[in-house]
mmCIF file of all heavy atoms in Angstrom:
data_model
loop_
_atom_site.group_PDB
_atom_site.id
_atom_site.type_symbol
_atom_site.label_atom_id
_atom_site.label_comp_id
_atom_site.label_asym_id
_atom_site.label_seq_id
_atom_site.Cartn_x
_atom_site.Cartn_y
_atom_site.Cartn_z
ATOM 1 N N ARG A 1 14.777 69.927 192.527
ATOM 2 C CA ARG A 1 13.583 70.418 193.219
ATOM 3 C C ARG A 1 13.200 69.485 194.361
ATOM 4 O O ARG A 1 13.252 68.261 194.212
ATOM 5 C CB ARG A 1 12.411 70.529 192.251
ATOM 6 C CG ARG A 1 12.601 71.624 191.223
ATOM 7 C CD ARG A 1 11.366 71.771 190.359
ATOM 8 N NE ARG A 1 10.155 71.981 191.129
ATOM 9 C CZ ARG A 1 9.662 73.173 191.465
ATOM 10 N NH1 ARG A 1 10.285 74.257 191.098
ATOM 11 N NH2 ARG A 1 8.547 73.269 192.159
ATOM 12 N N PRO A 2 12.817 70.029 195.504
ATOM 13 C CA PRO A 2 12.341 69.179 196.602
ATOM 14 C C PRO A 2 11.132 68.367 196.136
ATOM 15 O O PRO A 2 10.278 68.873 195.421
ATOM 16 C CB PRO A 2 11.942 70.177 197.687
ATOM 17 C CG PRO A 2 12.647 71.441 197.339
ATOM 18 C CD PRO A 2 12.816 71.446 195.851
ATOM 19 N N GLY A 3 11.106 67.134 196.523
ATOM 20 C CA GLY A 3 9.973 66.276 196.169
ATOM 21 C C GLY A 3 10.076 65.651 194.793
ATOM 22 O O GLY A 3 9.156 64.962 194.359
ATOM 23 N N PHE A 4 11.192 65.891 194.082
ATOM 24 C CA PHE A 4 11.350 65.258 192.774
ATOM 25 C C PHE A 4 11.313 63.745 192.971
ATOM 26 O O PHE A 4 12.023 63.209 193.820
ATOM 27 C CB PHE A 4 12.670 65.678 192.120
ATOM 28 C CG PHE A 4 12.879 65.076 190.755
ATOM 29 C CD1 PHE A 4 12.283 65.645 189.646
ATOM 30 C CD2 PHE A 4 13.659 63.946 190.592
ATOM 31 C CE1 PHE A 4 12.465 65.101 188.381
ATOM 32 C CE2 PHE A 4 13.854 63.391 189.336
ATOM 33 C CZ PHE A 4 13.253 63.967 188.228
ATOM 34 N N PRO A 5 10.478 63.036 192.217
ATOM 35 C CA PRO A 5 10.363 61.581 192.419
ATOM 36 C C PRO A 5 11.620 60.844 191.958
ATOM 37 O O PRO A 5 12.046 60.999 190.816
ATOM 38 C CB PRO A 5 9.153 61.200 191.571
ATOM 39 C CG PRO A 5 9.042 62.278 190.549
ATOM 40 C CD PRO A 5 9.600 63.521 191.168
ATOM 41 N N THR A 6 12.213 60.101 192.872
ATOM 42 C CA THR A 6 13.437 59.376 192.534
ATOM 43 C C THR A 6 13.213 57.879 192.381
ATOM 44 O O THR A 6 14.037 57.199 191.773
ATOM 45 C CB THR A 6 14.513 59.620 193.596
ATOM 46 O OG1 THR A 6 13.992 59.251 194.882
ATOM 47 C CG2 THR A 6 14.952 61.074 193.624
ATOM 48 N N ALA A 7 12.129 57.366 192.933
ATOM 49 C CA ALA A 7 11.837 55.935 192.802
ATOM 50 C C ALA A 7 11.646 55.594 191.328
ATOM 51 O O ALA A 7 10.972 56.303 190.598
ATOM 52 C CB ALA A 7 10.592 55.569 193.598
ATOM 53 N N GLY A 8 12.303 54.547 190.905
ATOM 54 C CA GLY A 8 12.178 54.096 189.529
ATOM 55 C C GLY A 8 13.238 54.642 188.584
ATOM 56 O O GLY A 8 13.298 54.233 187.426
ATOM 57 N N LEU A 9 14.080 55.554 189.071
ATOM 58 C CA LEU A 9 15.101 56.119 188.187
ATOM 59 C C LEU A 9 16.118 55.066 187.739
ATOM 60 O O LEU A 9 16.601 55.117 186.605
ATOM 61 C CB LEU A 9 15.823 57.274 188.865
ATOM 62 C CG LEU A 9 15.019 58.559 189.055
ATOM 63 C CD1 LEU A 9 15.839 59.586 189.837
ATOM 64 C CD2 LEU A 9 14.576 59.133 187.723
ATOM 65 N N ALA A 10 16.439 54.116 188.602
ATOM 66 C CA ALA A 10 17.412 53.081 188.236
ATOM 67 C C ALA A 10 16.880 52.231 187.095
ATOM 68 O O ALA A 10 17.594 51.961 186.124
ATOM 69 C CB ALA A 10 17.751 52.213 189.440
ATOM 70 N N ALA A 11 15.628 51.817 187.200
ATOM 71 C CA ALA A 11 15.033 50.996 186.141
ATOM 72 C C ALA A 11 14.927 51.779 184.839
ATOM 73 O O ALA A 11 15.127 51.235 183.750
ATOM 74 C CB ALA A 11 13.660 50.498 186.574
ATOM 75 N N ARG A 12 14.645 53.042 184.966
ATOM 76 C CA ARG A 12 14.432 53.864 183.776
ATOM 77 C C ARG A 12 15.740 54.269 183.087
ATOM 78 O O ARG A 12 15.821 54.300 181.867
ATOM 79 C CB ARG A 12 13.647 55.109 184.159
ATOM 80 C CG ARG A 12 13.251 55.937 182.989
ATOM 81 C CD ARG A 12 12.264 57.001 183.392
ATOM 82 N NE ARG A 12 11.807 57.708 182.228
ATOM 83 C CZ ARG A 12 10.874 58.628 182.237
ATOM 84 N NH1 ARG A 12 10.270 58.930 183.370
ATOM 85 N NH2 ARG A 12 10.520 59.247 181.149
ATOM 86 N N PHE A 13 16.771 54.585 183.876
ATOM 87 C CA PHE A 13 17.984 55.154 183.290
ATOM 88 C C PHE A 13 19.263 54.343 183.510
ATOM 89 O O PHE A 13 20.319 54.722 182.998
ATOM 90 C CB PHE A 13 18.207 56.564 183.844
ATOM 91 C CG PHE A 13 17.123 57.522 183.484
ATOM 92 C CD1 PHE A 13 16.342 58.101 184.477
ATOM 93 C CD2 PHE A 13 16.863 57.856 182.171
ATOM 94 C CE1 PHE A 13 15.342 59.001 184.159
ATOM 95 C CE2 PHE A 13 15.861 58.749 181.830
ATOM 96 C CZ PHE A 13 15.097 59.330 182.835
ATOM 97 N N GLY A 14 19.216 53.266 184.263
ATOM 98 C CA GLY A 14 20.424 52.506 184.587
ATOM 99 C C GLY A 14 21.189 51.991 183.391
ATOM 100 O O GLY A 14 22.407 51.849 183.446
ATOM 101 N N ASP A 15 20.504 51.727 182.295
ATOM 102 C CA ASP A 15 21.156 51.199 181.092
ATOM 103 C C ASP A 15 21.198 52.211 179.955
ATOM 104 O O ASP A 15 21.478 51.856 178.819
ATOM 105 C CB ASP A 15 20.431 49.930 180.619
ATOM 106 C CG ASP A 15 20.585 48.794 181.611
ATOM 107 O OD1 ASP A 15 21.700 48.614 182.134
ATOM 108 O OD2 ASP A 15 19.597 48.085 181.866
ATOM 109 N N SER A 16 20.951 53.458 180.254
ATOM 110 C CA SER A 16 20.936 54.491 179.224
ATOM 111 C C SER A 16 22.327 54.658 178.601
ATOM 112 O O SER A 16 23.338 54.570 179.301
ATOM 113 C CB SER A 16 20.495 55.829 179.831
ATOM 114 O OG SER A 16 20.637 56.870 178.889
ATOM 115 N N PRO A 17 22.386 54.955 177.312
ATOM 116 C CA PRO A 17 23.687 55.238 176.705
ATOM 117 C C PRO A 17 24.250 56.597 177.146
ATOM 118 O O PRO A 17 25.442 56.853 176.998
ATOM 119 C CB PRO A 17 23.403 55.232 175.202
ATOM 120 C CG PRO A 17 21.938 55.414 175.065
ATOM 121 C CD PRO A 17 21.308 54.912 176.329
ATOM 122 N N ASP A 18 23.414 57.438 177.735
ATOM 123 C CA ASP A 18 23.815 58.772 178.173
ATOM 124 C C ASP A 18 24.312 58.708 179.626
ATOM 125 O O ASP A 18 23.558 58.360 180.539
ATOM 126 C CB ASP A 18 22.622 59.715 178.067
ATOM 127 C CG ASP A 18 22.918 61.137 178.504
ATOM 128 O OD1 ASP A 18 24.041 61.410 178.984
ATOM 129 O OD2 ASP A 18 22.014 61.979 178.376
ATOM 130 N N PRO A 19 25.582 59.054 179.888
ATOM 131 C CA PRO A 19 26.102 58.963 181.261
ATOM 132 C C PRO A 19 25.366 59.862 182.252
ATOM 133 O O PRO A 19 25.239 59.508 183.424
ATOM 134 C CB PRO A 19 27.569 59.367 181.133
ATOM 135 C CG PRO A 19 27.711 60.010 179.807
ATOM 136 C CD PRO A 19 26.593 59.519 178.945
ATOM 137 N N GLU A 20 24.879 61.000 181.815
ATOM 138 C CA GLU A 20 24.109 61.870 182.719
ATOM 139 C C GLU A 20 22.847 61.158 183.187
ATOM 140 O O GLU A 20 22.465 61.261 184.353
ATOM 141 C CB GLU A 20 23.752 63.192 182.033
ATOM 142 C CG GLU A 20 24.937 64.107 181.799
ATOM 143 C CD GLU A 20 25.608 64.561 183.082
ATOM 144 O OE1 GLU A 20 24.911 64.831 184.073
ATOM 145 O OE2 GLU A 20 26.848 64.632 183.090
ATOM 146 N N ARG A 21 22.211 60.444 182.313
ATOM 147 C CA ARG A 21 21.005 59.686 182.696
ATOM 148 C C ARG A 21 21.366 58.504 183.580
ATOM 149 O O ARG A 21 20.631 58.179 184.509
ATOM 150 C CB ARG A 21 20.248 59.254 181.454
ATOM 151 C CG ARG A 21 19.602 60.425 180.758
ATOM 152 C CD ARG A 21 18.777 60.009 179.594
ATOM 153 N NE ARG A 21 18.179 61.191 178.982
ATOM 154 C CZ ARG A 21 17.320 61.149 178.005
ATOM 155 N NH1 ARG A 21 16.931 59.998 177.507
ATOM 156 N NH2 ARG A 21 16.830 62.259 177.513
ATOM 157 N N ARG A 22 22.492 57.832 183.285
ATOM 158 C CA ARG A 22 22.914 56.722 184.158
ATOM 159 C C ARG A 22 23.173 57.231 185.569
ATOM 160 O O ARG A 22 22.866 56.551 186.542
ATOM 161 C CB ARG A 22 24.159 56.026 183.590
ATOM 162 C CG ARG A 22 23.860 55.175 182.373
ATOM 163 C CD ARG A 22 24.989 54.228 182.040
ATOM 164 N NE ARG A 22 26.289 54.832 181.861
ATOM 165 C CZ ARG A 22 26.732 55.407 180.743
ATOM 166 N NH1 ARG A 22 25.960 55.474 179.674
ATOM 167 N NH2 ARG A 22 27.964 55.902 180.690
ATOM 168 N N ARG A 23 23.716 58.454 185.694
ATOM 169 C CA ARG A 23 23.951 59.027 187.026
ATOM 170 C C ARG A 23 22.643 59.229 187.786
ATOM 171 O O ARG A 23 22.614 59.176 189.010
ATOM 172 C CB ARG A 23 24.706 60.347 186.904
ATOM 173 C CG ARG A 23 26.171 60.173 186.704
ATOM 174 C CD ARG A 23 26.924 61.496 186.775
ATOM 175 N NE ARG A 23 28.197 61.345 186.132
ATOM 176 C CZ ARG A 23 28.443 61.631 184.852
ATOM 177 N NH1 ARG A 23 27.516 62.140 184.088
ATOM 178 N NH2 ARG A 23 29.632 61.436 184.352
ATOM 179 N N LEU A 24 21.561 59.484 187.061
ATOM 180 C CA LEU A 24 20.256 59.630 187.726
ATOM 181 C C LEU A 24 19.869 58.354 188.469
ATOM 182 O O LEU A 24 19.182 58.416 189.488
ATOM 183 C CB LEU A 24 19.171 59.988 186.708
ATOM 184 C CG LEU A 24 19.195 61.400 186.158
ATOM 185 C CD1 LEU A 24 18.146 61.546 185.053
ATOM 186 C CD2 LEU A 24 18.957 62.416 187.253
ATOM 187 N N ALA A 25 20.297 57.213 187.965
ATOM 188 C CA ALA A 25 19.985 55.934 188.621
ATOM 189 C C ALA A 25 20.493 55.916 190.065
ATOM 190 O O ALA A 25 19.893 55.276 190.933
ATOM 191 C CB ALA A 25 20.573 54.775 187.831
ATOM 192 N N LEU A 26 21.579 56.641 190.336
ATOM 193 C CA LEU A 26 22.146 56.676 191.689
ATOM 194 C C LEU A 26 21.222 57.363 192.686
ATOM 195 O O LEU A 26 21.359 57.171 193.891
ATOM 196 C CB LEU A 26 23.504 57.381 191.673
ATOM 197 C CG LEU A 26 24.601 56.658 190.901
ATOM 198 C CD1 LEU A 26 25.782 57.582 190.662
ATOM 199 C CD2 LEU A 26 25.022 55.402 191.638
ATOM 200 N N ARG A 27 20.266 58.138 192.215
ATOM 201 C CA ARG A 27 19.324 58.824 193.104
ATOM 202 C C ARG A 27 18.170 57.919 193.547
ATOM 203 O O ARG A 27 17.426 58.284 194.448
ATOM 204 C CB ARG A 27 18.752 60.057 192.407
ATOM 205 C CG ARG A 27 19.793 61.117 192.144
ATOM 206 C CD ARG A 27 19.167 62.277 191.387
ATOM 207 N NE ARG A 27 20.090 63.372 191.263
ATOM 208 C CZ ARG A 27 20.152 64.399 192.102
ATOM 209 N NH1 ARG A 27 19.326 64.483 193.115
ATOM 210 N NH2 ARG A 27 21.028 65.352 191.915
ATOM 211 N N ASP A 28 18.041 56.770 192.915
ATOM 212 C CA ASP A 28 16.934 55.866 193.220
ATOM 213 C C ASP A 28 17.174 55.186 194.566
ATOM 214 O O ASP A 28 18.194 54.520 194.751
ATOM 215 C CB ASP A 28 16.809 54.815 192.115
ATOM 216 C CG ASP A 28 15.542 53.988 192.208
ATOM 217 O OD1 ASP A 28 15.022 53.779 193.329
ATOM 218 O OD2 ASP A 28 15.054 53.551 191.156
ATOM 219 N N PRO A 29 16.248 55.336 195.517
ATOM 220 C CA PRO A 29 16.444 54.697 196.831
ATOM 221 C C PRO A 29 16.420 53.174 196.767
ATOM 222 O O PRO A 29 16.884 52.516 197.691
ATOM 223 C CB PRO A 29 15.280 55.239 197.674
ATOM 224 C CG PRO A 29 14.264 55.686 196.689
ATOM 225 C CD PRO A 29 15.004 56.090 195.448
ATOM 226 N N GLU A 30 15.931 52.626 195.681
ATOM 227 C CA GLU A 30 15.863 51.170 195.541
ATOM 228 C C GLU A 30 16.864 50.648 194.515
ATOM 229 O O GLU A 30 16.692 49.563 193.963
ATOM 230 C CB GLU A 30 14.438 50.764 195.181
ATOM 231 C CG GLU A 30 13.455 51.112 196.288
ATOM 232 C CD GLU A 30 12.024 50.790 195.945
ATOM 233 O OE1 GLU A 30 11.781 50.073 194.968
ATOM 234 O OE2 GLU A 30 11.140 51.270 196.675
ATOM 235 N N LEU A 31 17.919 51.398 194.297
ATOM 236 C CA LEU A 31 18.972 50.991 193.369
ATOM 237 C C LEU A 31 19.508 49.625 193.774
ATOM 238 O O LEU A 31 19.876 49.411 194.939
ATOM 239 C CB LEU A 31 20.097 52.022 193.401
ATOM 240 C CG LEU A 31 21.339 51.734 192.572
ATOM 241 C CD1 LEU A 31 21.015 51.782 191.083
ATOM 242 C CD2 LEU A 31 22.413 52.747 192.904
ATOM 243 N N GLU A 32 19.536 48.700 192.832
ATOM 244 C CA GLU A 32 20.008 47.346 193.135
ATOM 245 C C GLU A 32 21.531 47.318 193.235
ATOM 246 O O GLU A 32 22.221 48.025 192.498
ATOM 247 C CB GLU A 32 19.520 46.374 192.070
ATOM 248 C CG GLU A 32 18.007 46.207 192.087
ATOM 249 C CD GLU A 32 17.529 45.149 191.120
ATOM 250 O OE1 GLU A 32 18.356 44.460 190.505
ATOM 251 O OE2 GLU A 32 16.295 45.027 191.002
ATOM 252 N N PRO A 33 22.056 46.504 194.141
ATOM 253 C CA PRO A 33 23.513 46.441 194.331
ATOM 254 C C PRO A 33 24.288 46.113 193.053
ATOM 255 O O PRO A 33 25.370 46.636 192.839
ATOM 256 C CB PRO A 33 23.702 45.342 195.380
ATOM 257 C CG PRO A 33 22.393 45.252 196.083
ATOM 258 C CD PRO A 33 21.339 45.643 195.075
ATOM 259 N N GLN A 34 23.717 45.276 192.199
ATOM 260 C CA GLN A 34 24.414 44.906 190.961
ATOM 261 C C GLN A 34 24.590 46.113 190.045
ATOM 262 O O GLN A 34 25.636 46.288 189.422
ATOM 263 C CB GLN A 34 23.651 43.803 190.201
ATOM 264 C CG GLN A 34 23.521 42.514 190.967
ATOM 265 C CD GLN A 34 22.304 42.499 191.906
ATOM 266 O OE1 GLN A 34 21.603 43.489 192.107
ATOM 267 N NE2 GLN A 34 22.065 41.355 192.510
ATOM 268 N N LEU A 35 23.546 46.943 189.959
ATOM 269 C CA LEU A 35 23.644 48.131 189.114
ATOM 270 C C LEU A 35 24.628 49.128 189.727
ATOM 271 O O LEU A 35 25.443 49.723 189.017
ATOM 272 C CB LEU A 35 22.273 48.785 188.907
ATOM 273 C CG LEU A 35 22.273 50.068 188.080
ATOM 274 C CD1 LEU A 35 22.931 49.862 186.715
ATOM 275 C CD2 LEU A 35 20.844 50.583 187.914
ATOM 276 N N LEU A 36 24.588 49.294 191.028
ATOM 277 C CA LEU A 36 25.533 50.197 191.691
ATOM 278 C C LEU A 36 26.965 49.738 191.416
ATOM 279 O O LEU A 36 27.822 50.539 191.057
ATOM 280 C CB LEU A 36 25.263 50.258 193.195
ATOM 281 C CG LEU A 36 26.217 51.109 194.021
ATOM 282 C CD1 LEU A 36 26.289 52.541 193.511
ATOM 283 C CD2 LEU A 36 25.796 51.080 195.485
ATOM 284 N N ASP A 37 27.218 48.446 191.537
ATOM 285 C CA ASP A 37 28.547 47.917 191.254
ATOM 286 C C ASP A 37 28.934 48.195 189.805
ATOM 287 O O ASP A 37 30.061 48.617 189.527
ATOM 288 C CB ASP A 37 28.594 46.414 191.541
ATOM 289 C CG ASP A 37 29.982 45.852 191.318
ATOM 290 O OD1 ASP A 37 30.869 46.114 192.153
ATOM 291 O OD2 ASP A 37 30.188 45.170 190.291
ATOM 292 N N ARG A 38 28.017 47.980 188.893
ATOM 293 C CA ARG A 38 28.302 48.229 187.475
ATOM 294 C C ARG A 38 28.624 49.709 187.227
ATOM 295 O O ARG A 38 29.524 50.027 186.452
ATOM 296 C CB ARG A 38 27.122 47.777 186.607
ATOM 297 C CG ARG A 38 27.491 47.690 185.144
ATOM 298 C CD ARG A 38 26.425 47.032 184.325
ATOM 299 N NE ARG A 38 25.357 48.000 184.118
ATOM 300 C CZ ARG A 38 24.071 47.723 184.165
ATOM 301 N NH1 ARG A 38 23.651 46.505 184.418
ATOM 302 N NH2 ARG A 38 23.176 48.668 183.959
ATOM 303 N N LEU A 39 27.914 50.597 187.898
ATOM 304 C CA LEU A 39 28.176 52.023 187.728
ATOM 305 C C LEU A 39 29.550 52.413 188.272
ATOM 306 O O LEU A 39 30.161 53.366 187.794
ATOM 307 C CB LEU A 39 27.067 52.848 188.378
ATOM 308 C CG LEU A 39 25.698 52.742 187.694
ATOM 309 C CD1 LEU A 39 24.627 53.427 188.532
ATOM 310 C CD2 LEU A 39 25.725 53.295 186.281
ATOM 311 N N THR A 40 30.073 51.665 189.257
ATOM 312 C CA THR A 40 31.422 51.952 189.758
ATOM 313 C C THR A 40 32.486 51.487 188.782
ATOM 314 O O THR A 40 33.644 51.885 188.898
ATOM 315 C CB THR A 40 31.707 51.300 191.134
ATOM 316 O OG1 THR A 40 31.758 49.884 190.995
ATOM 317 C CG2 THR A 40 30.725 51.734 192.179
#
């Protein structure tokens, strides 16, 4: 949906055991480089 809030998704889902939720972290505009590297 347009306007869906993406800020904070990395903090909320970056360490989730669910891969679908971890993918949500990639939508966070403030995703930290370390987490992005870990997701790769």
Side-chain angles (χ1 to χ4, degrees):
R1 292 185 54 92
F4 181 82
T6 56
L9 289 176
R12 186 169 185 175
F13 297 117
D15 293 318
S16 173
D18 180 355
E20 290 297 322
R21 290 184 180 186
R22 287 195 305 277
R23 280 188 200 93
L24 287 174
L26 294 166
R27 294 177 173 266
D28 190 330
E30 296 177 13
L31 176 67
E32 293 185 6
Q34 298 86 353
L35 178 55
L36 177 56
D37 183 74
R38 194 170 77 221
L39 292 172
T40 68

